[in-house]
Amino acid sequence: MNDFHPFGWYAAKMAPYLPKKAFQPVKSRLFGGLAYVGLVTAGILAVSLFHLHPIWNLLISVVLGFSFAALGFLGHEILHGTVVRTPWLRDLLGAIAFWPLCTGPKLWRKWHNASHHVHTQHEEKDPDAWPSMEKLAKSRLLSWVYRIPFPIRAFFSFSSLSVMFTLHSVRMLFYFFKDFRRKNRAVVLFQFFLPWATWLGLLWLVGWEKWLFAFLLPLLVANTIVMSYIATNHRLNPLVPVNDPLANSLSVTVPKWVDILHFHFSHHTEHHLFPAMSSKYYPLVKKHIKQMWPDRYHEMPMGKALAALWKTPRVYYEHNELIEPKQGHVYGTLGNGLNPDRIVHRELETEKQPRAAKKRAKTKKAAGKENL
């Protein structure tokens, strides 16, 4: 698909078919947040105050992790202004919701709202986009990483989902810090370190064993849940010259009860079309997308999307394909030949294009083979 349209083009064509209330804040979403705050508080108190069997503590940790993740999904919605629009209240509620994930509202809005949404799947401007062959060739660290055999790399990549959101948040703090005005930098640091201070304070109060179940294991569970969604949002899609949500985004399907508990975070294409709309109305948006652009819309079960991620590399070749640099295996992306039901690759060496030799040289350089 080469005829791209910006998200505003789709939104303008679809908006007349949507009810006016869909564009208003939905404050009732806060009741769900209040329930999760209650669960988190009760779970932490239970682990901290009682001497429970480790099995019970482990079960509570899983519930806490699920609640941490759900609060993060609600915080994402709040900071888009779809729950309340008063700036100070939006940031306060967003900070509370993101507290377990230790991400401040000012940094999140800069990183996610102002950068990722505006430049989705742009190789240079989207802080969440994966690298191309050109960027790989310029980085010694990335070149070294991609010399590791693909199956081993895929295993560690999936294992890292349990810590990746936390690590990426820290990276984004360093990445964007200089872009904030001097008067705002102290606020950004305060919002980042205050949650960590409270969780480390909990460690001091209850000790390592109880802290493991009250925070650390729940954080790993929350990271895994959140990153399972984030990893499937765009990583099977191509890099694009135009911010076209139907080309650069993927919606996944999960059981309905999970979708409700996760505030419809699975509807990611819909979110990129209407980021200022409450996710409560995304099922309606999905219905209209499928009626108006059924051939452009990308959707698949979460399990299938994760399996496709496992079987494909994360380096872009010619922007609309993925490549395994060490072996020269080239895979399609969604809308560009990728079939999640039967993932196959082609050999780079079989290309007949005039620039094939040059591309092969770049591939060998990126894979560290130029002197072999």
Side-chain angles (χ1 to χ4, degrees), residues 1 5 9-10 14 244-247 249-251 269-270 273 285-300 334-335:
M1 182 174 66
H5 302 289
W9 184 88
Y10 295 104
M14 194 183 306
D244 185 327
L246 269 66
S249 304
L250 168 68
S251 290
T269 301
E270 295 79 359
L273 278 177
V285 173
K286 175 185 286 192
K287 176 184 175 182
H288 287 294
I289 295 176
K290 287 185 171 182
Q291 290 175 349
M292 300 173 76
W293 304 286
D295 57 326
R296 290 175 172 264
Y297 183 65
H298 298 298
E299 177 188 40
M300 71 179 78
L334 292 176

Side-chain angles (χ1 to χ4, degrees), residues 1-7 10 120-121 233-250 269 272-273 295-298 316 319-320 333-336:
M1 182 174 66
N2 296 318
D3 51 330
F4 300 108
H5 302 289
F7 66 91
Y10 295 104
T120 308
Q121 286 296 86
N233 289 162
H234 307 287
R235 294 182 185 178
L236 293 171
N237 298 82
L239 298 175
V240 291
V242 176
N243 187 359
D244 185 327
L246 269 66
N248 64 26
S249 304
L250 168 68
T269 301
H272 274 260
L273 278 177
D295 57 326
R296 290 175 172 264
Y297 183 65
H298 298 298
Y316 284 98
H319 289 183
N320 61 1
T333 55
L334 292 176
N336 297 276

